[in-house]
Amino acid sequence: MILKLSAAAAVITTILTAFLVVRSGDEAVVKGASTVVTVWDDGGLTRVEAERAIVAAARQERITLYRSITSVESGITVRSLSVANQGDDRALPGVDEQYPDFGRSLHTRFRPAPNGISPGGMYVTGATEIRADRFVAVLRQQGLDVTAVPFGFAGQFWWTAGAAPLLPLLMAALLGMILGCVSSTVGARRQDAVRVANGMSRTDVAFRQCARVILLVLAYGVIGLAVSVLPLAIYNGLAQFARFAGTTAVGIGLAAVVGGAVVLVTSLLANRRSLLPALEGRLPFGRLTLFGLVAHGAAVGLVVAVLASAIAAGWSASENRRDSAEWDRGDDLYALSFRLSNTEGEKFVDVFAALGLRAIAEGRALVSTRPLGGPEDHGPDGGGALIVNDRYLAEQTIRDHTGKRVEGSNLRPDELTLLVPDDLRGVPELVSRYEEWIRFRAEADGRRSDDSRVPIHVIRTAGGQRVFNYSTRETTSSQLDPVVAVVPSSRPVLSSDWIVSGMTQGTVLFTDRTRLERDLRSSSLDSSAWIVSARDLAEVRLDGQEHDLRTTMSVALLAGIVAVLAAFVFAAASAEISRRGDFLRLVHGDSGLRTVLLPATLAVASAGAASGLALSSHLSVSPSTFSPCGVVLLADVLAVALFISVRSRRLRADTLKKS
């Protein structure tokens, strides 16, 4: 029974792992791609010269090269593929066929590259690694900064391991397989001893057990793959099913080999000694119990580690659900997505800065920038600050310490206003830091020293306010009790490089799309940037976080299955060890509580120690993690006690029947 459970758990884990690998790999690059080529910089070449160099190098090596551009359109993520060169390798999908996306979060389309787009970015090829390396070498000789990364099966696996808790999932599968195989093999030692006594060699007995496990895993794998057809048909219409089936087959084969090897080694070690103890039913349940205890603790620690990740993902998703109402009201805000190389970016900084400053001055842009520093730092470069303009206050509500809303129209246009939470101390030092920041920005633009003398006015705000910041790149779009710096509307404070940085990061948003399109055309920038809805960017991020949450929860569920299996193995071994003593206590009228109490206590100790190690090694553990982890430990001890109680009753009945 235990062997079947462990084999089933291993097969389920393998199928889910294959699903994650194929989905994540397909979202990273298109199927058939063997190498990802990234052009980081054009090396001073013009846009046309860089494009010609890339195409010429691809033709020289006769490789098929696709340009891959990911963008957001109407709330969905679109991967656009354009043919840079058609070579003699045919691994990549053809341009005339509809690409079968494996997942639901990405839509792949073939289309020509937009006119005037920078040649920098990601390309994919199905050529061999040698030809791809030669292609990259040719481009480097011409001054381009280019890298090539192989993306075969191993690349897909490690990519997925970085995107989802895949390694804990595989550890859970391995642990479950080893537990089931060891327990089953040791439990069958008496039958093996009988076979050896009847003339079968110990090696033949071991290989018999090994073949049994391999066939069992393979049979379950075939059944699992057949069962997965219907869910995949509903999920994606069986898109890339051959790729999924091949990945699953590799995983099932590895699981069968591991299971067979564990059984073979265990059987040879168990049967190398005298047959008499085995024939008399004296099995090494002490060592099996210790093994089960350690494995059980490790499995529960694995559950807790994955649970911590699931809670963190769930927290981010819940934060964004709370922000979704604000994004619904902000569907008329737009961000710019740039198509510039590094060289072109430096060339057009002043032009883009002028466009942004003009939009801010005319009230057509909303500034809402959260700096990248730590959240405990409320200075102008800290993550506990939020730098905005007066248009922001027209959209969002911030209340002062009396409960009154702070209106942008009530602020002096020549002052920088600091909205400081009422319980925050060190305001004079904070004001000094913002004064220094204003001077630094003035110097960055080459303005006169008089322009840097901007008065700062402090308004105390009520504590406990969650402020919406329109962020589309961070894990959440809100901050708790930030220091909000409202820049003056009549005096220049923000430097050109700061404005351009905000535009590239999506923290300078525009309200008039028609006017923005006209400004881009008049400045000859329409081929260097395109307009994206800020709400669409936020929806893509939320979908990604929901996707991560579902993935992490599925891993946590499978790790829980392994923990239950470990508890069952440990409980069964403990019941076998105390079988005779438990029967004697039953005869003398004892309730049998001692049979359950000691193993359950040991299980709690091992699981608690492993869980503590798992939480201490986790990078970010919030207080909200401890309660669910406590529930896991409580459920675990109850499961161990229940399994021991049920198993002991069956053994008592068996003993009474034999006596």
Side-chain angles (χ1 to χ4, degrees):
M1 179 64 180
I2 296 177
L3 180 61
K4 293 180 179 179
L5 284 175
S6 63
V11 168
I12 293 173
T13 306
T14 301
I15 291 176
L16 180 57
T17 301
F19 176 84
L20 295 176
V21 168
V22 174
R23 186 182 66 182
S24 299
D26 186 59
E27 290 172 352
V29 298
V30 295
K31 69 172 184 175
S34 59
T35 305
V36 177
V37 178
T38 305
V39 178
W40 299 101
D41 191 74
D42 53 20
L45 300 178
T46 66
R47 188 180 303 186
V48 175
E49 290 173 342
E51 289 176 352
R52 289 176 178 173
I54 294 171
V55 173
R59 288 176 178 172
Q60 177 180 329
E61 299 300 330
R62 303 192 307 276
I63 67 172
T64 299
L65 190 68
Y66 286 0
R67 177 75 187 273
S68 180
I69 302 174
T70 302
S71 59
V72 180
E73 299 177 8
S74 302
I76 61 175
T77 304
V78 177
R79 175 172 55 197
S80 301
L81 297 176
S82 58
V83 180
N85 185 64
Q86 188 69 58
D88 53 15
D89 53 301
R90 303 298 179 185
L92 294 176
V95 296
D96 297 328
E97 62 184 69
Q98 183 178 359
Y99 186 80
D101 291 296
F102 188 84
R104 294 178 173 179
S105 59
L106 184 67
H107 298 263
T108 303
R109 300 170 184 171
F110 286 94
R111 59 178 64 169
N115 293 328
I117 189 171
S118 166
M122 188 175 81
Y123 298 78
V124 294
T125 178
T128 62
E129 185 175 349
I130 296 177
R131 295 172 67 181
D133 288 341
R134 290 203 303 259
F135 165 74
V136 170
V138 171
L139 293 179
R140 287 175 177 170
Q141 290 175 357
Q142 302 183 53
L144 278 76
D145 184 7
V146 188
T147 58
V149 178
F151 203 79
F153 181 81
Q156 294 181 42
F157 174 82
W158 290 114
W159 174 274
T160 308
L166 184 61
L167 293 180
L169 177 64
L170 296 180
M171 288 172 61
L174 180 62
L175 188 60
M177 174 62 71
I178 293 175
L179 273 173
C181 291
V182 170
S183 177
S184 176
T185 305
V186 173
R189 188 180 174 191
R190 184 173 184 178
Q191 293 89 332
D192 292 344
V194 172
R195 294 188 181 96
V196 172
N198 288 330
M200 184 179 291
S201 69
R202 287 181 168 87
T203 303
D204 290 342
V205 170
F207 276 103
R208 176 190 178 97
Q209 294 279 22
C210 175
R212 176 193 172 203
V213 172
I214 292 176
L215 292 176
L216 182 65
V217 173
L218 293 179
Y220 280 3
V222 172
I223 295 173
L225 193 59
V227 171
S228 67
V229 171
L230 180 59
L232 284 176
I234 298 174
Y235 178 73
N236 60 12
L238 295 180
Q240 303 187 43
F241 182 76
R243 182 181 181 184
F244 167 77
T247 306
T248 302
V250 172
I252 295 297
L254 290 176
V257 170
V258 170
V262 171
V263 167
L264 182 63
V265 172
T266 305
S267 180
L268 290 174
L269 292 176
N271 294 325
R272 66 179 179 176
R273 298 179 180 178
S274 173
L275 299 179
L276 185 59
L279 292 172
E280 293 176 348
R282 288 184 285 145
L283 305 180
F285 287 109
R287 280 174 290 175
L288 181 60
T289 302
L290 179 61
F291 177 76
L293 185 65
V294 174
H296 166 260
V300 175
L302 177 65
V303 173
V304 171
V306 177
L307 184 61
S309 299
I311 292 173
W315 182 258
S316 298
S318 64
E319 286 285 314
N320 280 276
R321 292 191 192 106
R322 186 164 52 199
D323 296 338
S324 62
E326 291 291 344
W327 281 115
D328 289 339
R329 295 197 298 114
D331 58 354
D332 57 346
L333 296 175
Y334 304 94
L336 288 179
S337 183
F338 292 84
R339 304 165 174 167
L340 297 170
S341 66
N342 294 339
T343 304
E344 292 174 320
E346 296 174 359
K347 178 181 178 181
F348 290 110
V349 164
D350 293 337
V351 182
F352 274 110
L355 184 150
L357 287 170
R358 186 167 58 251
I360 293 173
E362 296 175 1
R364 296 183 289 106
L366 182 150
V367 177
S368 178
T369 301
R370 178 184 182 180
L372 299 178
E376 70 285 347
D377 184 2
H378 295 88
D381 299 316
L386 181 64
I387 300 173
V388 304
N389 63 345
D390 54 354
R391 177 58 190 267
Y392 173 89
L393 294 177
E395 300 290 337
Q396 296 298 321
T397 300
I398 299 179
R399 301 192 180 278
D400 63 16
H401 66 286
T402 65
K404 183 179 178 181
R405 177 175 179 175
V406 178
E407 301 281 356
S409 58
N410 295 334
L411 305 180
R412 293 191 58 176
D414 59 342
E415 292 182 341
L416 185 144
T417 303
L418 285 182
L419 307 180
V420 182
D422 196 34
D423 57 351
L424 186 65
R425 300 294 176 258
V427 175
E429 294 82 2
L430 195 64
V431 171
S432 298
R433 293 180 63 185
Y434 278 91
E435 289 175 342
E436 178 62 29
W437 178 73
I438 293 173
R439 285 193 293 269
F440 177 79
R441 291 297 160 198
E443 293 173 0
D445 266 0
R447 297 194 297 268
R448 301 190 314 271
S449 59
D450 292 343
D451 291 336
S452 65
R453 297 193 182 99
V454 177
I456 296 180
H457 177 58
V458 176
I459 297 178
R460 286 291 190 170
T461 58
Q465 294 188 73
R466 183 164 291 279
V467 178
F468 189 71
N469 61 18
Y470 293 97
S471 172
T472 59
R473 298 185 178 225
E474 299 181 28
T475 56
T476 180
S477 300
S478 59
Q479 296 170 253
L480 181 63
D481 285 338
V483 169
V484 181
V486 187
V487 298
S489 58
S490 65
R491 301 191 63 176
V493 169
L494 304 177
S495 58
S496 297
D497 61 338
W498 194 95
I499 291 293
V500 174
S501 176
M503 293 167 67
T504 58
Q505 296 295 322
T507 60
V508 176
L509 304 175
F510 299 87
T511 59
D512 190 337
R513 181 179 184 126
T514 303
R515 178 65 184 277
L516 181 59
E517 291 174 344
R518 188 162 63 247
D519 287 347
L520 289 174
R521 286 194 300 270
S522 63
S523 303
S524 300
L525 298 174
D526 51 327
S527 63
S528 301
W530 71 89
I531 301 172
V532 182
S533 169
R535 180 184 176 185
D536 287 346
L537 293 176
E539 288 181 351
V540 170
R541 182 193 63 187
L542 178 58
D543 289 343
Q545 289 174 330
E546 294 281 355
H547 171 272
D548 293 341
L549 175 62
R550 291 191 296 270
T551 301
T552 307
M553 291 306 296
S554 64
V555 174
L557 177 62
L558 284 174
I561 294 175
V562 175
V564 171
L565 178 62
F568 183 77
V569 173
F570 173 66
S574 299
E576 286 285 357
I577 290 174
S578 59
R579 177 175 185 171
R580 182 172 299 178
D582 178 62
F583 179 75
L584 293 176
R585 284 190 292 270
L586 177 65
V587 171
H588 290 86
D590 196 341
S591 62
L593 182 61
R594 288 178 54 189
T595 305
V596 177
L597 188 59
L598 180 59
T601 303
L602 293 175
V604 170
S606 66
S611 300
L613 290 175
L615 290 178
S616 63
S617 62
H618 208 272
L619 294 179
S620 58
V621 179
S622 63
S624 59
T625 305
F626 294 104
S627 295
C629 292
V631 172
V632 170
L633 292 177
L634 178 61
D636 177 70
V637 66
L638 292 177
V640 170
L642 177 63
F643 288 153
I644 292 178
S645 178
V646 172
R647 183 64 178 170
S648 297
R649 289 181 181 179
R650 292 182 178 178
L651 292 176
R652 292 171 194 165
D654 182 62
T655 303
L656 289 172
K657 182 178 180 181
K658 291 181 178 179
S659 59

